[in-house]
Amino acid sequence: MTSPTRATHTLSMTQVLLCGAAIVTLSMGIRHGFGLWLQPITMDRGWSRETFGLALAIQNLSWGLVGPFAGMLADRYGAFKVLVAGSVLYAGGLVLMALATSGLAFHGSAGLMIGMAQAGCTYAIVYGVIGRNVAPEKRSWAMGITAAAGSFGQFLMVPVESGLISAFGWQEALILLGCAALAIVPLAFGLKEPKLAPPAGRQQSIGEAVREAFGYRSFQLLMAGYFVCGFQVVFIGVHMPSYLKDHGLSPQVATTALALIGLFNVFGTYAAGVLGQRLAKRHILASIYALRSVAIIAFLLLPLTPASVYAFSIAMGLLWLSTVPTTNAVVAQIFGVKHFSMLGGFVFLAHQIGSFLGVWLGGKLYDATGSYDVVWWIAVALGVFAALINLPVRETAIVRGGVPAPA
């Protein structure tokens, strides 16, 4: 099966960055605050933390499993329709999450529906448009801009979500966020690409692209590293508020900590995008994972105070999503942009499997031991592992028939 190619004219880079950044700000900003709902929902419904954790684990796994198919559709038919479908599904999932009265219904709404929605309106889809409409020499920088927007969304939306819960209650807050998710629809018009044109000559099929990528060692290593990224950030984002409360710190400390992560990740992701134009991306990725482990060790060994929490949040913020533009830029650099959204979706599937394990294992081991300590140290070990396996990644374009893949 062959895929059509795009017309020769492209969207304005400024338009793509503004609309893409706004979409990621909203879609990622909403999800980054889900940890704030853990205690109010479990206390009101009488559920365990494992029930809540499993729902978010399903969300992350659903996001990862649907991601390659959403990317495939976006590569073939354009991102616009996928973004609209993702927006509507996001809104519906948030409303049903508020209305769910059983664990099964909560897992279906907060888990399955919202995960599918995120697959259609976050990084892989937006990055595909960037890859097709931004010159290769500016691509890493452009992806850094968009990832920074997702970080700004966390800084912006976490305090907003906390305020909505305080002012209206957790159910009404979710319904209001569902309405906000529909704003992705008008923004998607800014990423509506020119009409598809028939291809010239034989094109690489979807099956061939998948087999090529999964048979390539560097792609496998990038997936393994991204698995670790998902485990670490989702465990921290979801369970850290409860970890802090368990140790006697106020909810305001957790809210501030998550906001600081979002704020400083704006700088971290942008810096990663800029550095990716100048330095070997494998070295940037290895450094990010190694520094995460160092930050977590310091956090665990130092006395737990608001000051130490904020210092940890700043450090993790600089490293939080800085893997996103770097990893995706390597994928585009190796394989080109023809099937980029789909391949980015496969890499992100590995991230979401890690996310599933991080959020679920956090709740599971807490319920079993009354502590998060084991999971923190697992996150440390995984960071060291990810640092080592990114070092041998090859960033040069793959050669097909004696010709490097087009950028």
Side-chain angles (χ1 to χ4, degrees), residues 9 59 87-88 150 307 382:
H9 58 291
Q59 178 189 116
S87 172
V88 173
L382 286 174

Side-chain angles (χ1 to χ4, degrees), residues 4 6 70-83 125 129 132 191-194 196 341:
R6 302 214 166 267
M72 190 184 305
L73 292 172
D75 285 333
R76 186 168 177 81
Y77 301 109
F80 173 73
K81 293 180 181 178
V82 177
L83 288 167
I125 307 304
V129 182
R132 290 185 290 268
L191 300 185
K192 192 171 185 179
E193 296 173 269
L196 300 175
S341 288

Side-chain angles (χ1 to χ4, degrees), residues 16 126-136 139 143 193 332 337 340 407:
V16 168
V126 174
Y127 276 178
V129 182
I130 290 174
R132 290 185 290 268
N133 292 276
V134 175
R139 194 175 290 150
M143 291 178 180
E193 296 173 269
V337 298
F340 178 46

Side-chain angles (χ1 to χ4, degrees), residues 362-375:
K364 179 71 173 179
L365 290 181
Y366 178 87
D367 288 340
T369 67
S371 170
Y372 288 114
D373 289 349
V374 174
V375 192

Side-chain angles (χ1 to χ4, degrees), residues 45 52 60 83 114 124 135 165 212 234 250 281 285 321 335 396-397:
R45 298 302 194 199
F52 186 94
N60 283 284
L83 288 167
I114 293 180
I165 294 172
E212 177 185 71
V234 176
S250 70
K281 298 175 185 66
L285 288 168
L321 294 180
F335 300 104
T396 53

Side-chain angles (χ1 to χ4, degrees), residues 70-280:
M72 190 184 305
L73 292 172
D75 285 333
R76 186 168 177 81
Y77 301 109
F80 173 73
K81 293 180 181 178
V82 177
L83 288 167
V84 170
S87 172
V88 173
L89 197 59
Y90 211 154
L94 287 164
V95 171
L96 292 177
M97 179 179 171
L99 301 177
T101 56
S102 69
L104 182 62
F106 189 72
H107 292 156
S109 55
L112 184 63
M113 283 185 67
I114 293 180
M116 293 173 64
Q118 290 166 347
C121 56
T122 49
Y123 290 114
I125 307 304
V126 174
Y127 276 178
V129 182
I130 290 174
R132 290 185 290 268
N133 292 276
V134 175
E137 62 271 15
K138 294 184 178 180
R139 194 175 290 150
S140 178
W141 167 80
M143 291 178 180
I145 288 284
T146 308
S151 306
F152 179 75
Q154 180 176 355
F155 172 70
L156 175 68
M157 293 298 295
V158 168
V160 169
E161 292 173 46
S162 178
L164 289 175
I165 294 172
S166 298
F168 300 104
W170 67 267
Q171 288 178 299
E172 290 78 4
L174 285 170
I175 293 172
L176 290 171
L177 287 179
C179 296
L182 292 174
I184 293 172
V185 173
L187 291 169
F189 280 93
L191 300 185
K192 192 171 185 179
E193 296 173 269
K195 191 173 182 180
L196 300 175
R202 186 183 182 281
Q203 302 293 308
Q204 186 185 44
S205 70
I206 290 173
E208 289 170 341
V210 172
R211 287 192 294 272
E212 177 185 71
F214 276 88
Y216 197 66
R217 182 63 173 168
S218 292
F219 188 76
Q220 298 167 5
L221 296 175
L222 288 169
M223 289 185 69
Y226 228 25
F227 166 89
V228 174
C229 180
F231 185 99
Q232 291 174 327
V233 301
V234 176
F235 164 68
I236 293 171
V238 172
H239 289 286
M240 190 170 74
S242 296
Y243 174 79
L244 299 178
K245 188 171 183 179
D246 290 343
H247 285 78
L249 298 178
S250 70
Q252 288 73 27
V253 173
T255 300
T256 303
L258 294 178
L260 284 172
I261 289 174
L263 175 61
F264 280 86
N265 196 33
V266 174
F267 306 112
T269 49
Y270 179 76
V274 172
L275 290 173
Q277 300 292 145
R278 298 176 172 86
L279 304 176

